[in-house]
């Protein structure tokens, strides 16, 4: 509210108060001298005092410029406090009430017709939890810190070589870095998906320990294995995948790749491609976010070519990005599909009721997501954005 208007409001209230007090004492003195006037009681004097006060407020109303504007602003200012006082908008976990940063908030909220929202971190918590995995065409589920084969409900461990190799790929193919505080190792990552997968691999026996420019170390069944870091092919929106080239402790050069199923499965020519594609659809229908893993062993002769391609890209001055894309496409070829992971991004508390209230108020909600259509539909139905009677078009 404008400071000048506040000044004029204060001046009007002050004038009304002073004149009401003066008028009150004048009437009392008049009662003593004028015998024809009936003497007023104390309670009547209080009522008269308030009546006179507001009479003076009306009389001095014209002191305030555009008085209607002031009245409306005063109403808006007071109504903004109802946002702060609303217990349903109070966040008990952080002891934080809602805050109206402008007195026009109620008026502006009433004009909203469309809401555009991101899914991750808005509808969901953006705290991913590892739930399921398909390895070499066999489905497994996370169950109290162990992997259980879904078909037989038998727990598996690192004695299963396929499971062990897949968990090693999970613990190596990422951009996560480690920090240590008070003897406790923690993971930091720009992507919550990567962090969830590395933490899951550590929980099941393959613990990522350290990364440097030249090596990566993981702990496998109590033994520390060192992998020589050679190259990384970073994620980009064109390829929708990332790859890392390492030399394992036995001297083999491996390429590990992970990414969206639409980009990884198309470059695989071996492994359980068809089964994995079906499992991706199954996980997406359950509302899980999926990442497909693939790998290949690079022979010494092929690695010489790969090394030359990467060096040429790093030394390129003109059209460097185009040359990198061509080199990455050449390197990431003829992979072996080894499986797919499914992680859950849980809905925020109260999302279902909030969207229901918005729909009842006539507000139309648009949600942006990069997930598969099946995953998006599942999440939308879970939060009451979609109903079962709706049909999807693509």
């Amino acid at each position: 509210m404008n400071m000048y208007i506040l000044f004029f409001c204060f001046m009007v209230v002050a004038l009304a108060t002073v004149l009401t007090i003066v008028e009150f004492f004048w009437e009392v003195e008049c009662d003593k001298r004028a015998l024809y006037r009936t003497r007023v009681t104390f309670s009547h004097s209080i009522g008269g005092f308030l009546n006179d006060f507001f009479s003076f407020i009306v009389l001095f109303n014209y002191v305030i410029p555009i008085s209607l504007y002031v009245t409306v602003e005063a109403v808006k200012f007071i109504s903004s406090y109802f946002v702060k006082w609303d217990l349903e908008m109070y966040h008990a976990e952080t002891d934080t009430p809602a805050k109206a940063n402008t007195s026009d908030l109620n008026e502006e909220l009433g004009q909203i017709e469309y809401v555009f929202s991101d899914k991750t971190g808005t509808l969901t918590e953006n705290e991913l939890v590892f739930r399921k995995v398909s390895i070499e065409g066999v489905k497994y589920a996370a169950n109290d810190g162990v992997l259980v084969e879904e078909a037989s409900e038998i727990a598996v461990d690192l004695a299963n070589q396929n499971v062990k190799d897949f968990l090693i790929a999970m613990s190596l193919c990422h951009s996560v870095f480690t920090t240590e505080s008070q003897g406790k190792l923690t993971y930091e990552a720009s992507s919550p998906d990567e962090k969830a997968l590395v933490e899951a691999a550590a929980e099941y026996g393959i613990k990522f320990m350290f990364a440097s420019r030249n090596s990566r170390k993981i702990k496998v069944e109590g033994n520390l294995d060192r992998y020589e870091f050679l190259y990384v092919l970073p994620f980009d929106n064109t390829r929708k995948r990332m790859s890392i080239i390492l030399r394992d402790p036995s001297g083999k050069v491996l390429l590990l790749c992970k990414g969206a199923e639409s980009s990884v499965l198309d470059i695989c020519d071996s492994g359980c491609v068809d089964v994995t594609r079906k499992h991706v659809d199954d996980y997406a229908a359950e509302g899980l976010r999926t990442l497909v893993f693939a790998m290949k062993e690079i022979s010494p002769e092929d690695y010489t070519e790969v090394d030359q391609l990467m060096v040429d890209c790093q030394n390129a001055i003109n059209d460097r990005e185009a040359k990198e894309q061509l080199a990455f496409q050449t390197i990431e070829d003829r992979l072996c599909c080894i499986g797919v992971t499914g992680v859950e991004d849980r809905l925020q508390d109260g999302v279902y009721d909030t969207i229901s209230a918005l729909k009842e108020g006539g507000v139309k909600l648009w949600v942006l997501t990069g997930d598969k259509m099946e995953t998006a539909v599942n999440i939308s139905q879970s939060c009451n954005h979609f109903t079962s009677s709706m049909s999807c078009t693509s």
Side-chain angles (χ1 to χ4, degrees):
M1 192 178 292
N2 193 295
M3 293 301 298
Y4 289 106
I5 295 176
L6 285 176
F7 170 74
F8 283 123
C9 288
F10 174 78
M11 185 176 69
V12 169
V13 171
L15 282 172
T17 302
V18 171
L19 290 175
T20 301
I21 293 172
V22 171
E23 195 264 348
F24 177 79
F25 283 107
W26 179 83
E27 283 193 350
V28 171
E29 290 298 322
C30 239
D31 285 342
K32 293 178 180 179
R33 296 193 302 270
L35 299 177
Y36 58 86
R37 296 187 62 179
T38 53
R39 193 172 290 275
V40 294
T41 62
F42 182 76
S43 60
H44 187 230
S45 299
I46 296 297
F49 182 90
L50 294 176
N51 181 70
D52 293 341
F53 174 78
F54 286 110
S55 296
F56 283 119
I57 289 288
V58 173
L59 287 174
F60 288 108
N61 176 55
Y62 296 101
V63 173
I64 305 175
I66 320 177
S67 59
L68 181 60
Y69 169 78
V70 176
T71 304
V72 172
E73 282 296 312
V75 171
K76 289 181 181 179
F77 179 74
I78 295 172
S79 65
S80 66
Y81 276 87
F82 285 93
V83 175
K84 181 178 180 180
W85 297 333
D86 192 342
L87 293 178
E88 293 187 2
M89 300 178 69
Y90 172 73
H91 192 250
E93 295 180 6
T94 58
D95 190 25
T96 306
K99 182 180 180 182
N101 290 319
T102 171
S103 60
D104 295 330
L105 183 61
N106 282 343
E107 179 184 354
E108 292 173 353
L109 288 175
Q111 300 175 11
I112 293 176
E113 186 177 358
Y114 293 92
V115 172
F116 293 85
S117 171
D118 184 21
K119 179 184 76 72
T120 304
T122 305
L123 299 184
T124 61
E125 296 179 348
N126 201 25
E127 295 181 3
L128 278 72
V129 180
F130 181 83
R131 291 300 184 196
K132 295 186 177 183
V133 62
S134 169
I135 303 174
E136 299 290 345
V138 180
K139 283 185 176 181
Y140 301 90
N143 186 5
D144 294 330
V146 296
L147 281 178
V148 177
E149 186 177 337
E150 289 191 358
S152 63
E153 297 186 353
I154 298 176
V156 295
D157 54 22
L158 299 183
N160 186 317
Q161 192 61 42
N162 290 336
V163 172
K164 181 178 180 180
D165 292 341
F166 189 87
L167 292 177
I168 289 175
M170 282 174 53
S171 66
L172 290 172
C173 187
H174 54 76
S175 57
V176 176
F177 62 92
T178 59
T179 57
E180 190 170 352
S181 177
Q182 298 179 350
K184 184 178 179 181
L185 191 69
T186 57
Y187 300 119
E188 302 292 338
S190 58
S191 168
D193 299 75
E194 290 194 325
K195 183 180 179 182
L197 294 181
V198 173
E199 288 176 343
E203 185 177 9
Y204 302 129
I206 309 294
K207 188 173 183 179
F208 174 62
M209 300 298 296
F210 177 76
S212 67
R213 294 183 59 184
N214 301 317
S215 67
R216 296 197 171 195
K217 295 179 181 179
I218 59 175
K219 184 175 287 188
V220 182
E221 299 178 309
N223 300 318
L224 194 64
D225 292 345
R226 180 183 180 276
Y227 286 75
E228 183 182 353
F229 176 79
L230 300 175
Y231 293 105
V232 61
L233 284 58
F235 176 90
D236 60 62
N237 291 326
T238 302
R239 292 164 42 248
K240 296 182 180 179
R241 59 181 180 264
M242 73 159 290
S243 297
I244 187 169
I245 303 175
L246 304 160
R247 181 174 281 111
D248 71 5
S250 66
K252 296 179 182 177
V253 177
L254 304 175
L255 181 144
L256 304 176
C257 177
K258 74 174 179 185
E261 102 322 305
S262 59
S263 64
V264 176
L265 291 178
D266 290 343
I267 58 175
C268 293
D269 64 352
S270 61
C272 47
V273 177
D274 295 333
V275 177
T276 300
R277 196 185 303 274
K278 181 181 182 303
H279 290 175
V280 167
D281 294 336
D282 293 342
Y283 290 164
E286 296 177 29
L288 302 179
R289 294 170 62 166
T290 58
L291 281 174
V292 174
F293 281 76
M295 66 173 295
K296 73 173 180 180
E297 182 179 342
I298 303 177
S299 65
E301 296 79 13
D302 290 339
Y303 179 71
T304 302
E305 297 179 9
V306 169
D307 185 52
Q308 187 60 50
L309 280 172
M310 296 301 295
V311 170
D312 291 343
C313 290
Q314 293 172 353
N315 295 333
I317 298 177
N318 300 322
D319 300 325
R320 182 172 181 174
E321 290 186 5
K323 291 179 179 179
E324 280 186 345
Q325 289 295 325
L326 183 60
F328 293 171
Q329 189 174 9
T330 302
I331 297 169
E332 295 173 326
D333 189 30
R334 301 190 304 276
L335 303 185
C336 175
C337 175
I338 59 176
V340 58
T341 59
V343 295
E344 178 188 20
D345 192 3
R346 289 174 292 192
L347 290 175
Q348 301 261 22
D349 293 336
V351 167
Y352 187 95
D353 295 334
T354 300
I355 293 180
S356 298
L358 288 174
K359 291 169 70 175
E360 289 179 5
V363 178
K364 302 173 181 65
L365 178 64
W366 291 70
V367 179
L368 178 67
T369 178
D371 293 332
K372 284 175 62 65
M373 186 174 72
E374 292 83 357
T375 305
V377 169
N378 181 279
I379 295 296
S380 295
Q381 290 177 343
S382 300
C383 65
N384 198 32
H385 185 210
F386 285 177
T387 60
S388 56
S389 61
M390 292 181 177
S391 58
C392 299
T393 58
S394 57

